[in-house]
Amino acid sequence: MKDVNVTGRRPGGSELIALDIDEPGVDGFYNLRGIKPIGHYRGATGNSDLDLLGFDAHVLDDNTIRFYMVNQRPPVGAFNNIIDASKSGANSTIEIFEMRTGQEQMRHVRTIFSDEIWTPNRVSALADGSGGFLVTNDHSVKVGLRRKLDYVIGGGNVAYCDGAGNCHAAYDGSEDDDTVPSTSSDEPMYKVYLKKALGYLPKSKLKFPNGLARGRDGFFYVPSAIDGQIRVLALQPDKTLRLVDTIHVGMPLDNISPDANGDIYAAGFPNLIQSGKGFDDPYNQSSPVTIWRIRKTVDVGKSGVRSIDYRVEKVLEDRDSKVLSGSTTVRHDVKTGRLFISAAVHPFLVVCEPTK
């Protein structure tokens, strides 16, 4: 994992796997099935291999699901030969597929390649019928010294792409900090003074914007793998993003995922240095994990919204990595209360049953 090359690439590329979570077996395990790409998709070397990093799914109707996938293809030369990625970075695209419910194939719709997508981390469908999406670029450049400095001075952004693949920068953190004002005259004075004090601080750029997601409230939530904040963003008519709130979790975060109730679950790194070692050498180094839940509460009075608060709760933590290590994504099944926890560099999925 320390080198940007194809030595750790899975033979045949990545595979999208569907898990039948509603029908666990008597042994507690779940049936799974691979979803094969069909259609006109071609990878960087001319075959049908995928190199998936993150994805989002939009249910178009009762029978059709559309997938938006970050495809980190290896760079290739003039003859489709794989070349050294440490000099040029990944050859990334966004791939769009559609699948009929219950099938084991997904048909390729289109490939999005844009100069505005250079280090894509995760994609989030707008789900408004336009086919558009947002994607986080987690660094300012693909390779080089500037990339390493991103962790200190900030870098990366959120890009917008329409359904035809026309993309532009939508937010990088240096825009005006237009947070939602309180409409209540009885707001605690410490909040008033805190907002004024924060207004004098210089605007900081995003630091490793990670796995964003669209909340059930229509806002887009962008976590940081460095400063432990989640930016709450609203899409504007000109397809840029406006900051409306900031959630301070206090721990570097990876992907966030809303559940059916609107609660947001996030995987965090309680020891970022050790997590880095675990990602570089996942078979010999552990990576501690914390799972967070963020619950939004809106206080509405006769005159309108009086306050919006976010309750941040630690759901579970494995600082010794006895069970969880390097976990990057968590999904909460409201129906059963189970947590499904996965990791980018670990070959297993962890299922946590709710405590009684």
Side-chain angles (χ1 to χ4, degrees):
M1 291 295 292
K2 292 183 179 180
D3 298 317
V4 185
N5 56 42
V6 295
T7 59
R9 193 181 187 212
R10 181 178 183 267
S14 302
E15 185 176 13
L16 182 67
I17 296 176
L19 198 68
D20 296 327
I21 64 173
D22 292 325
E23 299 178 359
V26 294
D27 56 2
F29 289 95
Y30 297 82
N31 293 325
L32 54 85
R33 48 197 167 88
I35 309 299
K36 304 297 182 183
I38 60 173
H40 300 291
Y41 169 73
R42 291 294 178 269
T45 58
N47 56 24
S48 60
D49 290 354
L50 289 163
D51 294 274
L52 302 180
L53 176 62
F55 74 95
D56 193 16
H58 176 210
V59 178
L60 299 181
D61 53 48
D62 292 340
N63 299 309
T64 311
I65 302 173
R66 176 176 290 171
F67 293 105
Y68 298 77
M69 300 178 173
V70 175
N71 191 21
Q72 285 201 324
R73 310 178 305 174
V76 295
F79 302 99
N80 279 352
N81 56 304
I82 295 177
I83 61 176
D84 186 1
S86 66
K87 298 179 180 179
S88 61
N91 181 20
S92 301
T93 59
I94 305 298
E95 304 295 340
I96 301 176
F97 289 86
E98 289 184 2
M99 184 188 78
R100 303 288 288 179
T101 304
Q103 292 189 352
E104 297 183 2
Q105 295 177 328
M106 56 181 181
R107 183 171 297 277
H108 188 241
V109 177
R110 68 176 59 90
T111 294
I112 307 297
F113 181 86
S114 171
D115 290 339
E116 298 295 336
I117 303 173
W118 57 84
T119 54
N121 185 292
R122 199 183 193 189
V123 63
S124 179
L126 298 189
D128 60 356
S130 69
F133 59 87
L134 299 176
V135 58
T136 46
N137 288 303
D138 56 27
H139 286 79
S140 60
V141 293
K142 290 186 177 184
V143 295
L145 177 61
R146 179 63 178 87
R147 178 185 173 96
K148 296 179 180 179
L149 293 176
D150 284 347
Y151 302 108
V152 179
I153 63 178
N157 74 351
V158 182
Y160 162 84
C161 297
D162 64 21
N166 302 304
C167 306
H168 65 253
Y171 182 82
D172 70 3
S174 63
E175 295 82 356
D176 289 339
D177 187 3
D178 189 13
T179 55
V180 173
S182 171
T183 58
S184 173
S185 59
D186 58 355
E187 183 178 35
M189 289 305 298
Y190 80 89
K191 283 192 174 183
V192 176
Y193 292 130
L194 178 60
K195 288 180 179 179
K196 287 183 178 180
L198 292 175
Y200 292 108
L201 296 177
K203 305 298 185 297
S204 60
K205 290 190 175 183
L206 293 173
K207 292 182 178 179
F208 204 125
N210 216 318
L212 86 166
R214 180 180 181 272
R216 293 181 65 85
D217 55 6
F219 292 125
F220 293 89
Y221 292 77
V222 180
S224 167
I226 299 297
D227 64 22
Q229 299 180 33
I230 300 175
R231 273 81 172 177
V232 185
L233 304 172
L235 187 65
Q236 303 302 291
D238 63 355
K239 306 307 179 186
T240 61
L241 294 163
R242 177 175 61 90
L243 180 68
V244 297
D245 219 329
T246 302
I247 305 170
H248 299 271
V249 178
M251 179 182 292
L253 303 169
D254 206 299
N255 297 306
I256 59 175
S257 305
D259 68 8
N261 290 333
D263 293 340
I264 293 174
Y265 283 77
F269 306 127
N271 186 334
L272 189 58
I273 294 177
Q274 184 59 40
S275 293
K277 295 178 181 178
F279 278 98
D280 285 340
D281 187 6
Y283 292 104
N284 298 301
Q285 293 284 343
S286 62
S287 178
V289 175
T290 302
I291 303 300
W292 297 92
R293 180 178 67 189
I294 298 96
R295 177 167 292 171
K296 181 179 180 179
T297 58
V298 181
D299 183 14
V300 180
K302 293 182 179 180
S303 59
V305 176
R306 293 190 293 189
S307 66
I308 298 175
D309 290 304
Y310 298 91
R311 182 179 179 182
V312 179
E313 299 175 284
K314 186 183 295 185
V315 176
L316 61 88
E317 187 170 63
D318 191 350
R319 283 186 174 269
D320 297 324
S321 301
K322 293 181 178 179
V323 177
L324 302 175
S325 182
S327 302
T328 54
T329 301
V330 55
R331 296 303 301 258
H332 176 236
D333 180 20
V334 171
K335 181 179 178 181
T336 63
R338 296 188 182 104
L339 295 177
F340 294 83
I341 305 173
S342 63
V345 293
H346 279 264
F348 54 81
L349 177 75
V350 175
V351 181
C352 296
E353 298 286 346
T355 56
K356 296 181 180 180

